[in-house]
Amino acid sequence: MINNKNVSILIAVFFGLIIMTDFHYKVSVRLGYETFKLTLPTKLLVGTSLAYCIIKQKLLDKKDLVCLSLFAIVILLGITIQNQWDLSEYLYIIGQYIFSIILFLFFFKNHSNLGWGIFDKTLNAILLINFFCIIIAILFDFQIFRTYQGIRFGYNGIFKSTSTASYFYMFILLYHLMKKDNSKRSRWLLFITIFSSLIVGSKTLFAFVTIVLLIHLLRYLVQKQNYFSSISFYILSTIVILALSSYFIIPLISLNKVLQQVLIDDGVVSAILSYRDEHVINALSYLIKNYDLSNYFFGGLSMVNRLTEVAIIDMFLSFGIIGTIIFLTLFFKNLPRINSTILITFFTLI
């Protein structure tokens, strides 16, 4: 039997290693020198270790095994039908999906047995370290801690990418809000989380923080007012917020010089989505032109010029209709039951 406390400590160490190796990669890219990519062996170690825990603890049922077997078949068929595709690049993309499957299977099935106190200390330690890195970067203009190269504003500290920082801060914001710990320490950690989130410079993260705080404000106000029913109040508030958002969205985007230029050249949708709308349209044109029936079923990354950075579409491009259905079935089958309506709302928003 695996000791859950030891596993929790190991996961905390793994999480720290991934952050460190990601930062090493960020430094090498920013300084322009080629070096061995430490993220690959680190994630291979993490994935292999967690897969061992899943097997050792016998966490997979028959439906899981069927889904995993079918997904493996889809991958093999996808490799077979690829046309003039760099196999190593395709395997790298597949590896990312397999890594994510191992992660969500492990945490979904093990979440009630793990030592969350250990994770609390690990997450807050990373939060504080990154906060100090951000402050140093702002004060002394340390380029290595900036989110973007160039003139676009943003500081993500030790995190490799905008998306990594965004998901970290989304999670830790919800974590501190849902803990319902009103101690001075928790209030400071929440303030640091919100401040750091806004400084990252990610539109997605800025929108998420704003919406989450608005929802909490509305929940507070609905308890204080006596004029409307709860449903009527939420509907009216949503209409007002959407109206104000549509009015202020362009002026807010215009505050950033880079996004203002995108707004002028390509419109508000491209500015909000960072050209993902164009990536989707381009992928669609390649798909219509090059895909055959097998590609629609099992994927055809070699038939498009790049991924779109829109998760569900990239999954379809990678594994087709069948692979996407299997992946989502495996995910939602194992997703733990969430009894909190507000938490469901926030996860849906993510």
Side-chain angles (χ1 to χ4, degrees):
M1 186 69 180
I2 293 176
N3 187 302
N4 286 315
K5 182 179 179 181
N6 292 338
V7 172
S8 301
I9 294 171
L10 187 63
I11 292 169
V13 172
F14 282 162
F15 189 60
L17 278 175
I18 288 176
I19 297 294
M20 289 169 58
T21 53
D22 275 355
F23 181 60
H24 170 266
Y25 176 74
K26 179 182 180 181
V27 171
S28 65
V29 171
R30 292 291 173 89
L31 297 182
Y33 66 85
E34 293 186 8
T35 184
F36 184 70
K37 198 173 182 180
L38 295 174
T39 53
L40 291 176
T42 301
K43 290 182 179 179
L44 181 62
L45 172 65
V46 173
T48 304
S49 301
L50 296 187
Y52 170 78
C53 291
I54 291 171
I55 295 169
K56 185 72 175 178
Q57 293 175 303
K58 298 179 181 179
L59 298 177
L60 300 177
D61 58 30
K62 290 183 180 179
K63 291 182 179 179
D64 293 327
L65 293 173
V66 169
C67 285
L68 290 171
S69 299
L70 291 174
F71 196 68
I73 293 172
V74 168
I75 290 174
L76 292 174
L77 289 172
I79 292 174
T80 303
I81 63 177
Q82 295 302 307
N83 178 32
Q84 296 179 349
W85 180 256
D86 185 344
L87 183 60
S88 61
E89 186 176 351
Y90 184 60
L91 291 176
Y92 175 76
I93 293 171
I94 291 173
Q96 291 180 312
Y97 282 100
I98 293 174
F99 183 70
S100 69
I101 289 174
I102 293 172
L103 285 182
F104 75 66
L105 282 176
F106 177 83
F107 283 104
F108 285 178
K109 291 179 177 293
N110 245 339
H111 68 96
S112 59
N113 300 319
L114 297 174
W116 287 97
I118 296 170
F119 299 144
D120 179 272
K121 294 176 182 177
T122 303
L123 291 171
N124 288 328
I126 294 172
L127 172 69
L128 292 173
I129 290 170
N130 207 53
F131 172 70
F132 287 119
C133 290
I134 289 172
I135 295 299
I136 290 171
I138 293 173
L139 294 176
F140 301 103
D141 194 29
F142 276 19
Q143 295 296 308
I144 204 67
F145 293 136
R146 288 180 62 89
T147 307
Y148 309 100
Q149 293 178 290
I151 62 173
R152 183 173 173 181
F153 173 82
Y155 296 91
N156 62 354
I158 60 176
F159 291 111
K160 179 181 70 172
S161 64
T162 317
S163 59
T164 305
S166 295
Y167 282 115
F168 175 82
Y169 284 116
M170 284 180 191
F171 174 81
I172 203 165
L173 175 63
L174 295 187
Y175 177 68
H176 283 301
L177 284 173
M178 302 305 292
K179 272 179 68 176
K180 297 180 181 178
D181 181 355
N182 200 34
S183 66
K184 186 176 180 180
R185 173 181 176 272
S186 290
R187 289 198 299 270
W188 270 107
L189 288 172
L190 180 60
F191 169 78
I192 289 171
T193 300
I194 294 172
F195 173 82
S196 302
S197 299
L198 299 178
I199 295 298
V200 167
S202 162
K203 297 188 298 297
T204 300
L205 188 52
F206 183 86
F208 181 80
V209 172
T210 303
I211 293 170
V212 167
L213 295 181
L214 279 173
I215 290 174
H216 272 274
L217 176 62
L218 291 178
R219 292 180 74 203
Y220 172 79
L221 292 176
V222 77
Q223 296 172 354
K224 298 296 181 181
Q225 62 85 35
N226 298 311
Y227 301 102
F228 304 96
S229 67
S230 297
I231 295 176
S232 299
F233 181 82
Y234 282 127
I235 292 174
L236 182 62
S237 300
T238 302
I239 293 172
V240 171
I241 290 170
L242 289 174
L244 291 174
S245 299
S246 63
Y247 182 78
F248 286 110
I249 188 69
I250 292 178
L252 284 173
I253 291 175
S254 299
L255 292 175
N256 184 292
K257 292 182 179 179
V258 175
L259 294 178
Q260 183 183 32
Q261 193 59 49
V262 176
L263 182 67
I264 294 170
D265 294 340
D266 300 288
V268 66
V269 176
S270 292
I272 293 173
L273 299 179
S274 297
Y275 287 114
R276 286 178 179 84
D277 56 321
E278 293 191 8
H279 298 331
V280 171
I281 292 171
N282 289 337
L284 182 61
S285 65
Y286 277 97
L287 183 149
I288 293 172
K289 181 180 178 181
N290 300 319
Y291 265 35
D292 57 27
L293 192 61
S294 63
N295 296 127
Y296 282 104
F297 283 148
F298 305 113
L301 278 178
S302 63
M303 310 298 178
V304 296
N305 63 338
R306 60 160 292 159
L307 292 171
T308 65
E309 299 178 37
V310 178
I312 192 68
I313 295 176
D314 287 343
M315 190 181 296
F316 166 73
L317 295 175
S318 301
F319 305 110
I321 296 171
I322 295 177
T324 300
I325 291 173
I326 294 170
F327 187 101
L328 294 177
T329 300
L330 191 62
F331 181 88
F332 286 108
K333 172 190 173 296
N334 290 286
L335 184 68
R337 183 177 179 83
I338 302 173
N339 296 318
S340 170
T341 303
I342 188 67
L343 197 55
I344 292 173
T345 302
F346 290 148
F347 281 144
T348 303
L349 181 61
I350 293 175

